[in-house]
Amino acid sequence: MLTKPQLKALKDCVAADDLLVDTADCWAYGYDNSRQQACPDAVVFARGAEQLQAVVQFCNHYRVPLIPRGLGTGTTGATVPAEGGLVVSYERMNRIISIVPDDRLVIVEPGVTNQALQTAVAEHGFFWPPDPTSAAYSTIGGNLAYNSAGPRAVKYGTPRENTLGLQAITGAGESIQTGVRTTKGVVGYDLTRLLIGSEGTLALFTQATLKLTPLSEGRRTLRAVYADMSSAAHAVAAIMAQPVIPRSLEFIDGMAIEMIRAYSEASLPEAAGAMLMIEVDGARDCLETAAQTLRRVAATAGCLEVTVARNEAEVKALWATRKALSPALRNVAPKKINEDIVVPVSRMPELIRGLRELSERYGVTIVNFGHAGNGNIHVNMLVDPDDEQQMAAAGPCLDEVFALVLRLDGSLSGEHGIGLVKRDFIAREIAPATLALMRRIKRQFDPNGILNPGKLFPPA
Ligand SMILES: Cc1cc2nc3c(=O)[nH]c(=O)nc-3n(C[C@H](O)[C@H](O)[C@H](O)COP(=O)(O)OP(=O)(O)OC[C@H]3O[C@@H](n4cnc5c(N)ncnc54)[C@H](O)[C@@H]3O)c2cc1C
C-alpha cells in the first residue's frame, strides 16, 4: 500500500483522472490470461512520455514496482503485480500518430490495438504482419513486449522483423530512441530487438515505428491430410524448402483429429493421423500456379489427400475441421495446460513421438496443434483439476515435456513468453554466463529493479 507522502508525490505527477487508488478499481488491473491475480497499489493511465518519465522517477525514488500493461491478454502472468506497486495501463495512450505510405511505415502509441492498426493501414493498401489471434483486444505495446505473432509469421516474421524503431523510458528514467526510419541501418547495437520480447522489464514503450507490408491481392487455401505426423513433418520441411513460401502452415496431430471426430462432423479420411492447413497469398495472377505448386510439394509419402479450395464456401469448409478443435478442447478440458514450445521443423516427428510416450507414461492426454512452418507447437495437456492423480502427474509430465524440447534443440516459448509462470524454467534453456549477462543488461536499464520485478528471471 502507498503511504500518504507517496500518494501525494504520485498525485503531483499524474492528473486525478488518470489515477486509480481504490482497491475495488485496482483489482481489475491485476490479472491476465494466466489466471493469476494480485492487486496493485494504484493504477496510472499512461498519457505520454513526459508523464511516464515523472512516474518512473517517482517509482525510483520510493522503490515502488512499476508494471506496464496493455490489455492484459498475456498468458504467462507478465502483467500481474505479484509484488504490488503501480500498474501503468496504456489503454488511453492509443493514437496512430502518422502513416507514411511512401516509406511503408506507421508510427503509433503503444496502447493502440493490433486490429485498430490493421484497419487504419489497410486503407492505404498495407498491413502489419504480426497477427496474434487476440488482435482485436491486444495492444501493440503488448505485442512488442512479448514478440507476439500468429500464423503469418511463417512468411512475414514476428514483431522483431517488423519494427523499425522505438521510443521508450528506461527503468532509470532516461528517454531513449532506438532503431531507424529506414528498412536498412547498422549504426550501433540493435536495442530495438533487445527491447522487443523484454516483457516490460527494461523500458516503457512510448512510441513505435512499424514496418508495413503491401496487402496481397488474394489467397488460396489448401488442406493436406497424412497417415501420421512423421509424414506431415516431412511435407512441412519440403514445403519450406521451395520458393513458394505459404502465408500460413498450420498443423493438428492425430489426437486432435480424434477429438474433433468425437465432438463434431469431420470430413476426413478414416486413416488420417495428421493434417496441414496451407494458405498462399500474393499477386492475383500468380495464385493458381502457387496453389498447384504447393499441392504437388505437399503430396509427399504418407499423404492421403490434398484439397485446394475453389471458392469462399470451400475455404470455409476446409477450415471448419480445424476450427472445430478449440470448442472440442473446451468441452473435454476447460482447464487445460497450454504450452507454446518451438522445435526445429525437422525434429517435429521426434517431438510428437516423445509427447505420445509421455502422455502414455503419465496418463495425461496431450493434444498438439500449431504453427508447423515455424515448428511452434501448442502442446495442450488435458488435465482435470478435480482429479488428484492427474494433477499430481501434470507437474512432472510438463517438466519432461520441456526436457524433451530442449534435447531437440528447441525453445520453451515461441510467442507467449516467460512472465511469472515459466521463470523457473529459463535457466534450463539459457546457459549461466548468458543468463548472468542478461541480468547485468537488466541492471543497466533498470538499476533499482523497479520495472516488472519478479518477471522473466527467477529471484537471484
Ligand atoms: C484468446 C487469446 C488468443 C491469443 N492468441 C495469441 C496468438 O495467436 N499469438 C500470441 O503470440 N499470443 C496470443 N495471445 C496472448 C496475448 O494476446 C499476446 O501476448 C498479446 O501480445 C498481449 O497483448 P496485451 O496488450 O494484452 O499485453 P499485456 O498482456 O497487457 O502485456 C504483455 C506484456 O507486455 C508488457 N507491456 C505492455 N505494454 C507495454 C508497454 N507500452 N511498454 C512496455 N511493456 C509493455 C507487459 O508488462 C507484459 O510484460 C492470446 C491471448 C488470448 C487471450
Side-chain angles (χ1 to χ4, degrees):
M1 207 166 113
L2 298 178
T3 61
K4 268 194 182 156
Q6 287 174 344
L7 198 53
K8 186 184 170 310
L10 184 58
K11 283 180 175 168
D12 285 345
C13 44
V14 180
D17 281 357
D18 293 327
L19 181 64
L20 302 177
V21 287
D22 279 354
T23 306
D25 295 331
C26 291
W27 262 113
Y29 292 85
Y31 72 91
D32 73 0
N33 194 43
S34 67
R35 300 197 180 94
Q36 305 214 16
Q37 185 158 17
C39 192
D41 298 319
V43 176
V44 167
F45 294 102
R47 288 295 188 176
E50 219 174 290
Q51 175 225 36
L52 287 175
Q53 205 163 14
V55 171
V56 171
Q57 272 155 10
F58 160 84
C59 288
N60 272 302
H61 184 77
Y62 291 103
R63 300 291 195 270
V64 172
L66 194 167
I67 301 95
R69 178 187 168 91
L71 287 172
T73 65
T75 57
T76 56
T79 55
V80 175
E83 301 179 15
L86 291 192
V87 163
V88 168
S89 168
Y90 276 79
E91 64 196 69
R92 296 179 186 172
M93 196 171 158
N94 60 357
R95 283 180 315 138
I96 293 175
I97 297 167
S98 64
I99 300 172
V100 190
D102 287 351
D103 293 333
R104 283 188 291 126
L105 63 84
V106 58
I107 301 175
V108 298
E109 291 184 336
V112 68
T113 62
N114 182 305
Q115 186 57 59
L117 166 73
Q118 305 293 2
T119 305
V121 299
E123 285 178 25
H124 299 266
F126 292 102
F127 69 106
W128 190 55
D131 58 338
T133 321
S134 57
Y137 37 87
S138 69
T139 64
I140 296 302
N143 294 175
L144 295 173
Y146 262 144
N147 198 33
S148 306
R152 287 199 295 237
V154 67
K155 179 171 178 182
Y156 295 105
T158 67
R160 283 203 171 116
E161 289 78 42
N162 290 284
T163 304
L164 297 173
L166 295 167
Q167 286 184 16
I169 310 289
T170 67
E174 285 159 343
S175 174
I176 59 166
Q177 183 154 354
T178 72
V180 285
R181 271 178 74 123
T182 52
T183 47
K184 288 181 86 176
V186 61
V187 178
Y189 295 134
D190 189 348
L191 296 183
T192 309
R193 270 181 91 94
L194 172 64
L195 291 182
I196 295 174
S198 64
E199 300 190 8
T201 61
L202 299 179
L204 298 172
F205 304 139
T206 52
Q207 205 178 92
T209 303
L210 308 173
K211 184 168 95 182
L212 297 175
T213 299
L215 284 165
S216 63
E217 289 177 344
R219 78 172 90 140
R220 298 296 300 270
T221 303
L222 298 85
R223 188 183 74 187
V225 183
Y226 299 85
D228 49 51
M229 191 53 217
S230 181
S231 314
H234 286 304
V236 170
I239 291 168
M240 295 307 293
Q242 52 82 53
V244 184
I245 301 295
R247 86 192 277 278
S248 64
L249 179 49
E250 302 288 295
F251 96 103
I252 65 174
D253 76 350
M255 187 57 83
I257 290 176
E258 272 179 36
M259 202 139 284
I260 291 169
R261 280 217 170 90
Y263 287 90
S264 71
E265 304 273 313
S267 59
L268 287 172
E270 204 45 49
M275 183 182 98
L276 296 180
M277 290 298 302
I278 311 164
E279 283 199 329
V280 61
D281 63 359
R284 197 171 292 110
D285 292 350
C286 308
L287 283 176
E288 182 54 28
T289 316
Q292 291 311 327
T293 302
L294 287 174
R295 177 209 276 265
R296 188 169 30 78
V297 179
T300 47
C303 178
L304 303 176
E305 66 172 39
V306 186
T307 315
V308 185
R310 284 163 306 177
N311 52 46
E312 263 315 300
E314 288 188 6
V315 170
K316 237 176 148 177
L318 288 189
W319 273 108
T321 311
R322 166 66 186 82
K323 286 191 171 158
L325 181 58
S326 292
L329 283 175
R330 264 200 301 277
N331 245 321
V332 180
K335 299 219 167 133
K336 63 188 162 65
I337 298 172
N338 174 1
E339 292 301 333
D340 82 310
I341 54 85
V342 208
V343 293
V345 168
S346 63
R347 314 296 297 267
M348 281 200 313
E350 286 167 85
L351 175 78
I352 300 296
R353 257 198 318 274
L355 290 172
R356 197 161 303 146
E357 276 165 27
L358 291 177
S359 165
E360 280 162 18
R361 180 141 42 98
Y362 286 97
V364 172
T365 305
I366 302 181
V367 176
N368 306 294
F369 60 92
H371 314 304
N374 296 110
N376 183 192
I377 316 295
H378 294 290
V379 174
N380 290 267
M381 293 170 48
L382 309 187
V383 284
D384 175 357
D386 296 328
D387 183 328
E388 270 179 30
Q389 217 175 342
Q390 268 189 16
M391 288 312 283
C397 182
L398 182 61
D399 204 82
E400 288 214 41
V401 168
F402 287 154
L404 171 67
V405 167
L406 295 176
R407 266 202 316 280
L408 297 176
D409 298 327
S411 177
L412 301 183
S413 174
E415 55 187 26
H416 290 169
I418 297 297
L420 270 180
V421 302
K422 270 187 283 194
R423 66 179 189 181
D424 293 338
F425 294 98
I426 191 171
R428 297 204 8 206
E429 174 166 336
I430 298 180
T434 316
L435 203 53
L437 177 60
M438 287 186 182
R439 285 187 191 273
R440 291 202 296 277
I441 290 171
K442 159 82 175 162
R443 280 200 292 276
Q444 283 299 315
F445 275 83
D446 180 22
N448 295 322
I450 55 155
L451 279 190
N452 223 354
K455 313 295 166 56
L456 206 55
F457 306 111

